[in-house]
Amino acid sequence: MLAVVFFVIAAFVDWPTDKAEVCGKLGALRSASGSIEDEIGDLKDAAEDYRGTDQDAVRADADRIGDDLLNGSGLKWLDRDDMDRATGSIRALCGAEPTSG
């Protein structure tokens, strides 16, 4: 019975993510070609659920990803500077260089 309760709760609550998952999503976005809407959404979701070092800053990046990189109708035109501005704390967490420059 207890397992059923945990399963039901898990179905409605996002599990926390760790640094490896956030960095993996950042890597997938940076290596993607063509449409990257799914990769941006995956990174945003992972950053929102991140629990660890600098989690408030990483979660703030999730808000910027949502505001800057995605809009109500989907993906807007994205340049490297937009990505760098929206992912500063995530890149710092992952030790990733800026995409621009």
Side-chain angles (χ1 to χ4, degrees), residues 10 15 17 22 26 30 45 56 64 74 77 79 81-82 90 92 94 99:
W15 290 106
T17 59
V22 173
L26 178 64
R30 293 176 73 153
D45 292 344
D56 291 337
R64 280 189 291 279
W77 183 256
D79 67 26
D81 290 333
D82 290 334
I90 293 172
C94 299
T99 54

Side-chain angles (χ1 to χ4, degrees), residues 3 8 44 50 53 55 81 94 97:
V8 171
K44 179 183 183 303
Y50 173 68
T53 306
Q55 69 185 26
D81 290 333
C94 299
E97 295 294 323

Side-chain angles (χ1 to χ4, degrees), residues 29-45:
L29 173 60
R30 293 176 73 153
S31 65
S33 61
S35 177
I36 57 172
E37 188 171 356
D38 290 341
E39 287 83 359
I40 290 174
D42 290 347
L43 177 59
K44 179 183 183 303
D45 292 344

Side-chain angles (χ1 to χ4, degrees), residues 54-78:
D54 297 327
Q55 69 185 26
D56 291 337
V58 169
R59 289 181 190 163
D61 276 4
D63 291 338
R64 280 189 291 279
I65 293 167
D67 293 344
D68 295 348
L69 304 183
L70 296 173
N71 62 32
S73 63
L75 185 64
K76 72 170 195 166
W77 183 256
L78 174 68

